[in-house]
Amino acid sequence: MSFKSLLNKTCVIEVLSTTPCPSSGQPLESWLAAFSGVKCRLRSRSVSERRYGAVEYQKSTHALYTAFLNLGANNSTSLKRKRVLLEGVYYNVVGFIDMGGRDKCLCFYLERVIE
């Protein structure tokens, strides 16, 4: 069984974009889809995973696995500017790791957005 065969859902990865308002010059923020139709697998993280994990990942409620994506040069500094839309639910990206491997995959650490 290959890693890619385990990716049973699709999601959208969005980035926060800032543009100046034409009339006032004030910055306007909007979410733009950076990647659409990304095959993925979502998993809830246990309490012990969050308690004993790295500090930056302790508040993450879920882990999302995807095939490798080129997220750009400023990955670590722009995590607050990324979110995931999966089955109508938004998740903020709080961190991610390159898991490498033969199929090259990423694990995103997510915090569910409560609206």
Side-chain angles (χ1 to χ4, degrees):
M1 180 179 288
S2 73
F3 168 73
K4 290 184 180 178
S5 68
L6 298 173
L7 304 177
N8 60 349
K9 300 184 184 295
T10 58
C11 67
V12 176
I13 299 175
E14 300 179 336
V15 294
L16 187 61
S17 174
T18 306
T19 55
C21 177
S23 60
S24 68
Q26 294 294 324
L28 297 175
E29 293 183 335
S30 61
W31 289 98
L32 302 174
F35 300 94
S36 296
V38 176
K39 292 197 146 294
C40 61
R41 183 173 192 93
L42 184 68
R43 173 180 78 78
S44 296
R45 295 187 71 222
S46 70
V47 172
S48 62
E49 280 181 294
R50 293 189 306 214
R51 180 179 304 134
Y52 300 114
V55 173
E56 61 267 30
Y57 305 141
Q58 285 180 355
K59 66 179 182 176
S60 68
T61 56
H62 294 79
L64 181 86
Y65 302 95
T66 69
F68 182 78
L69 302 167
N70 185 0
L71 299 174
N74 297 330
N75 290 337
S76 60
T77 60
S78 62
L79 288 177
K80 293 180 181 175
R81 302 181 64 84
K82 290 181 176 54
R83 73 178 182 183
V84 173
L85 173 61
L86 177 64
E87 297 178 336
V89 178
Y90 285 103
Y91 301 86
N92 290 326
V93 176
V94 296
F96 66 90
I97 58 172
D98 181 348
M99 298 182 68
R102 185 177 66 111
D103 291 328
K104 298 279 187 181
C105 61
L106 292 175
C107 176
F108 288 92
Y109 292 100
L110 307 176
E111 178 182 34
R112 185 173 178 167
V113 176
I114 307 298
E115 295 180 8

